[in-house]
Amino acid sequence: MANNVPVPTYESLDKIYDSSALAKQGPRYNALVEKFTSIYGRKPDFIARSPGRVNLIGEHIDYCGFGVLPMAIERDVIIAVATTDDDSKVRIANMNPKYEPREFDFEGKETIVTIDSTKHEWSNYFKCGYKGMLERADNLEKPKGMYLLMDGTVPAGSGLSSSAAVVCTSALATIEANKLPLSKQELTEIAIVAERNVGVNSGGMDQSASVFSEQQYALHVEFVPRLSTRLVRLPETQPPMAFVIANTLVTADKFVSGPRNYNLRVVETKMAALFLSKVLDLPSSDSLKEVFDSYAAAAGKDNSEVAKYDALLERIANIFPQDSSNGQGYSLEEVSDMTGLPVQTLKEKYMTRFPVETDYFRLVQRTHHVLTEARRVVEFVDVCSKAPANTLEVLGSIMNASQESCDKFFNCSCPEINQVCEIARQHGAYGARLTGAGWGGCTVMLTTESNVPTLIEAIKDGYYRQKFPELSQDQLDDAVLATKPGSGSAVFNGF
Ligand code: NG1
């Protein structure tokens, strides 16, 4: 897929949304323009838009370098923008009154803007996109002043990638306001790095899905040797397939829990790669994908992709030493012995920029998850292209195996996710799994179009009405919904 094309500009919302969404999106865009005009006394010049995403398969492997298969959803972030040459101030407001208006100024070409990542502050996500873009704009002496109004419909902390949607939209708003000639590829790469400014060691799946997705397709994103994306058409099954997303309403905030969850997992996979590259006598690397590639190259056999995973999994089955903690994982000293890196080096390299809190590092379990999950992505994509008669069953069982591995080996599920997946499987879902980082957030289920109402009702009854009896009908409808693959980032100027 051509990655160096610009982000498209549309004058009509039907280029962005499925026809079934227009009755809702039209009034939403009108309300944004109206509110913008009442706050700033002028109309916006354009609206930037980037969606959230649901990941179909490939969890917690993007930051190890392995390919993943997300698709964009209708839920998104839109920012109305007007520019001025009078100053270089940024004024930003939000349609949600929970987020108070903010103002900041361009601090010069060196700093651009200061981001205090110790503070949990909504405008930091805008600043990430703004800073990331302007760092790349060598020829720009002084950026435009900006008037902004944001509206987001991706639930925060739900695994649907609300933060990436904000950062990508912010970066896109900054590009368009300053007429910077940047491609989709550059926008994505900058947004990936930019998001790390808020203190989360993020992978690159979300930003890629947000920018590159297209209606009716899932997106196979690969990161090695460099970011590349390929559209994967979802098979036409008989009966027709459908995806449902259910939010457990357990909020998993990476910013708060990162040191024990997300950032720790990133570090564990890096330590595992260091150990494996050493013990397998491969070029030293802290990327499991590089270990996989070097091992496959050294094995030299003309294996299929899946067979390459099997070969490595078999080779490492008994390669990790016994830990001294009775199966809880390795102490930092043990990791130091295994990798040959002094404790101090490990701390400086892996535990300083993104803090980590733990007594033990569970390298065996994490490696097992990452390699089997990467294998599942290859299988899933393959089934999509071959579309055998039992496609629904096969894809469903791959999703179920992913959930089991996330729960047992990566410990990123939680009782609520397990419960929703179980209810779903009992009510016509072929497969059900967490999507995104986990520890709460959303689940994704594969079912048939005709079973969607039954499945949704079963989850409302079996989960929400038990655990959250106070939810209104609107909140319930918002928590569990059918979804179709949607389109990626765009600029809209049809108002
Ligand atoms: P969420 O929390 O769903 O946005 C995070 C990472 C992804 C990926 C998944 C797990 C960020 C912005 N996103 O997704 O890159 O690693 O977890 O597969 O950190």
Side-chain angles (χ1 to χ4, degrees):
M1 178 172 170
N3 284 5
N4 55 357
V5 291
V7 173
T9 297
Y10 296 126
E11 287 184 4
S12 148
L13 288 181
D14 60 10
K15 294 273 191 304
I16 301 178
Y17 299 102
D18 188 67
S19 53
S20 61
L22 294 176
K24 202 162 66 192
Q25 294 298 343
R28 175 178 174 228
Y29 275 64
N30 289 341
L32 185 78
V33 172
E34 238 171 67
K35 180 92 190 262
F36 186 100
T37 315
S38 84
I39 299 176
Y40 298 120
R42 55 179 292 189
K43 277 190 127 192
D45 303 331
F46 65 89
I47 297 174
R49 182 250 176 199
S50 288
R53 62 98 190 94
V54 59
N55 189 20
L56 297 180
I57 195 83
E59 226 56 87
H60 287 279
I61 61 172
D62 57 345
Y63 50 76
C64 306
F66 291 101
V68 292
L69 193 74
M71 66 187 196
I73 54 174
E74 183 196 326
R75 303 290 186 98
D76 57 9
V77 171
I78 55 178
I79 305 183
V81 185
T83 63
T84 176
D85 289 319
D86 295 347
D87 58 36
S88 52
K89 276 197 191 130
V90 175
R91 303 103 181 138
I92 179 162
N94 200 302
M95 291 291 274
N96 184 341
K98 189 170 127 192
Y99 303 115
E100 286 181 15
R102 301 281 184 234
E103 192 173 305
F104 64 88
D105 207 346
F106 174 64
E107 294 170 38
K109 287 186 80 164
E110 272 300 300
T111 313
I112 313 253
V113 64
T114 309
I115 303 175
D116 180 356
S117 69
T118 61
K119 283 219 184 84
H120 200 197
E121 157 59 39
W122 77 276
S123 59
N124 276 355
Y125 289 93
F126 181 84
K127 285 182 177 174
C128 281
Y130 178 82
K131 186 177 164 90
M133 278 303 136
L134 294 184
E135 273 168 357
R136 284 283 282 266
D138 295 338
N139 298 328
L140 191 75
E141 269 317 304
K142 184 173 135 269
K144 302 259 188 199
M146 293 167 91
Y147 296 90
L148 307 160
L149 179 61
M150 184 185 296
D151 183 45
T153 54
V154 191
S158 65
L160 298 179
S161 199
S162 57
S163 55
V166 178
V167 174
C168 290
T169 316
S170 307
L172 178 58
T174 311
I175 296 183
E176 190 65 17
N178 293 287
K179 301 277 167 259
L180 303 171
L182 289 172
S183 64
K184 284 187 181 182
Q185 175 94 13
E186 287 163 312
L187 166 59
T188 309
E189 287 173 353
I190 294 168
I192 293 171
V193 176
E195 195 161 335
R196 300 196 178 130
N197 284 322
V198 283
V200 175
N201 198 358
S202 98
M205 156 169 65
D206 305 347
Q207 299 82 353
S208 311
S210 189
V211 174
F212 280 104
S213 288
E214 289 193 19
Q215 285 184 46
Q216 295 175 5
Y217 292 90
L219 191 76
H220 190 203
V221 187
E222 296 192 276
F223 305 94
V224 176
R226 68 176 312 219
L227 180 73
S228 65
T229 59
R230 187 168 65 83
L231 296 171
V232 173
R233 190 176 265 286
L234 292 169
E236 280 174 27
T237 52
Q238 226 24 273
M241 64 158 73
F243 289 98
V244 170
I245 302 175
N247 189 344
T248 60
L249 301 179
V250 176
T251 309
D253 190 328
K254 282 203 290 314
F255 177 84
V256 177
S257 59
R260 271 167 290 111
N261 293 339
Y262 193 88
N263 292 344
L264 172 59
R265 296 300 184 281
V266 177
V267 169
E268 287 173 318
T269 65
K270 288 184 185 295
M271 290 172 164
L274 283 169
F275 166 68
L276 288 176
S277 59
K278 183 161 177 279
V279 74
L280 293 172
D281 213 8
L282 300 170
S284 177
S285 171
D286 64 4
S287 145
L288 281 172
K289 168 74 166 140
E290 276 175 17
V291 170
F292 169 77
D293 285 342
S294 323
Y295 183 77
K301 293 197 206 104
D302 208 7
N303 280 339
S304 72
E305 206 56 11
V306 164
K308 288 179 190 166
Y309 283 102
D310 291 340
L312 180 56
L313 280 160
E314 199 184 319
R315 175 72 184 84
I316 66 171
N318 294 309
I319 214 168
F320 285 91
Q322 186 67 39
D323 60 37
S324 61
S325 68
N326 236 344
Q328 293 195 68
Y330 301 107
S331 66
L332 195 55
E333 288 68 27
E334 285 174 306
V335 174
S336 166
D337 287 345
M338 290 161 66
T339 58
L341 291 185
V343 165
Q344 197 50 30
T345 310
L346 288 171
K347 280 191 180 159
E348 277 161 17
K349 217 165 160 205
Y350 298 111
M351 299 164 72
T352 306
R353 173 152 186 228
F354 302 102
V356 161
E357 283 165 24
T358 188
D359 294 330
Y360 299 109
F361 299 85
R362 309 189 75 181
L363 309 194
V364 181
Q365 297 84 337
R366 308 311 182 221
T367 306
H368 182 81
H369 168 76
V370 169
L371 292 177
T372 56
E373 185 74 356
R375 183 187 189 282
R376 282 186 281 273
V377 174
V378 175
E379 267 187 294
F380 198 100
V381 171
D382 193 49
V383 174
C384 286
S385 73
K386 294 191 178 131
N390 58 349
T391 293
L392 284 165
E393 285 82 0
V394 185
L395 293 183
S397 74
I398 298 174
M399 291 171 72
N400 289 334
S402 166
Q403 172 57 25
E404 168 126 4
S405 180
C406 283
D407 188 26
K408 304 253 158 58
F409 293 100
F410 219 69
N411 304 113
C412 61
S413 188
C414 67
E416 291 82 356
I417 292 177
N418 294 347
Q419 190 189 348
V420 170
C421 289
E422 210 32 63
I423 296 172
R425 289 185 201 114
Q426 284 163 11
H427 292 87
Y430 288 88
R433 57 181 294 275
L434 65 85
T435 185
W439 296 289
C442 281
T443 54
V444 57
M445 299 142 223
L446 173 65
T447 188
T448 57
E449 270 177 16
S450 58
N451 188 54
V452 167
T454 310
L455 178 56
I456 290 183
E457 214 30 58
I459 295 171
K460 284 183 180 170
D461 261 352
Y463 182 70
Y464 298 107
R465 292 196 178 106
Q466 312 300 320
K467 199 170 159 71
F468 301 100
E470 73 287 1
L471 289 186
S472 67
Q473 194 54 44
D474 278 358
Q475 287 170 317
L476 270 176
D477 293 341
D478 214 38
V480 51
L481 52 128
T483 191
K484 289 185 181 159
S487 67
S489 297
V491 171
F492 175 70
N493 61 10
F495 49 89

